[in-house]
Amino acid sequence: MPIDNQDHVQLLETISSTLSRYINESNPYRLFNGLLEDLLRLTNSEYGFIGEVFYDRQQLPYIQNYATTNIAWSDETKQLYQDTLEKGMVFKKLNSLYGEVLKTAQPVIANNPADDPRAGGIPKGHPPLNSFLGLPFYTNGQLQGVVGIANRVNGYDQQLVDFLAPFLSTCSNLVEAYRNNLKRLEVEDELQRTKSRLLLLMADQPAFPPQPRPQTQPLPSGYRFDPQSLTLTRHQQPIHLTVKEAKLLATLLNSADQVVSHQQLEQLIWPDVVVSDSSLRSLVLRLRKKVPELEIQGLAGRGYRLNTRNVA
């Protein structure tokens, strides 16, 4: 079956619509199932799969499928398909046509599977396998995944393999994108867990040794701060501070001219809540706008310091 210009147009439309769906689809199983349906229509095939390649403890490759056509032929396989719909079926049989792709990382064309020495047979009741095409896709030269399709009218050939090269590149890019997104989420979760552990460790320890201070403390440029009532004045005129802004100023003043770490500030201002770094930055920015004459210095990766050495 020759490939014409209309086939190329349909291929490009498939790739374009898939990439558009990726923007709003966080579940790779839903995205790849739609992509597999498009591939089957594009190649006039009956069924197939798209999967990512992993390695077991013995370093033997296997396929974790993102999409598999429902060709269940018994109650048991129907239940298996439903159970794995959102987590993917696993293919581990290396003495098979798809296993040949895993072993060689090369395309496999089998237009007479029943007599093909690479085939491992099919289970009893399985739909007929009249022809098979297995295609690997790669990332940085390493086998990343496998696409398998079956039962195309008149079989498969090298022309179709070449035609589907852009499709395989799309599969590779999508798998890599989902991998990177998963790594990002894992890093964010680990950072949040680490921050929670730090807060728990610091909960039973004083943030810093208490230092005796006069009840009303002088600051540069005519400011005075009362740590008991958390009130701030300048030239005897009150300056309105929110509770968190006042706590931030009191904390910095209690360790004036010393660096107070981000963790210490977050623990004292938000004692029972895990917050992002942006919450502290926003709070510092608001306080700076209300007391522009005070020097609240930020030290990257360390914390903040209130400089008071020029107090009159």
Side-chain angles (χ1 to χ4, degrees), residues 77 124 215 247:
T77 53
K124 183 179 180 181
Q215 185 168 350
K247 284 185 177 180

Side-chain angles (χ1 to χ4, degrees), residues 61-72:
Y62 65 92
I63 301 170
Q64 177 81 42
N65 283 326
Y66 284 119
T68 310
T69 307
N70 185 359
I71 54 171

Side-chain angles (χ1 to χ4, degrees), residues 242 245 281-291:
T242 65
E245 290 166 352
R281 288 196 299 269
S282 297
L283 183 61
V284 171
L285 181 61
R286 293 199 301 271
L287 181 59
R288 282 172 171 163
K289 288 182 178 180
K290 291 185 178 181
V291 290

Side-chain angles (χ1 to χ4, degrees), residues 128-146:
L129 180 63
N130 302 321
S131 58
F132 173 82
L133 174 63
L135 296 172
F137 54 90
Y138 313 87
T139 295
N140 298 325
Q142 298 296 316
L143 180 63
Q144 183 189 47
V146 175

Side-chain angles (χ1 to χ4, degrees), residues 154-167:
N154 298 325
Y156 301 97
D157 54 30
Q158 186 61 43
Q159 183 186 22
L160 183 66
V161 173
D162 297 337
F163 169 70
L164 291 176
F167 180 91

Side-chain angles (χ1 to χ4, degrees), residues 16 32 62 70 84 178 189 201 220 232 239 244 275 277:
S16 177
F32 276 99
Y62 65 92
N70 185 359
T84 58
Y178 278 115
D189 288 344
L201 288 172
L232 177 69
I239 297 175
K244 286 184 172 59
V275 298
D277 294 340

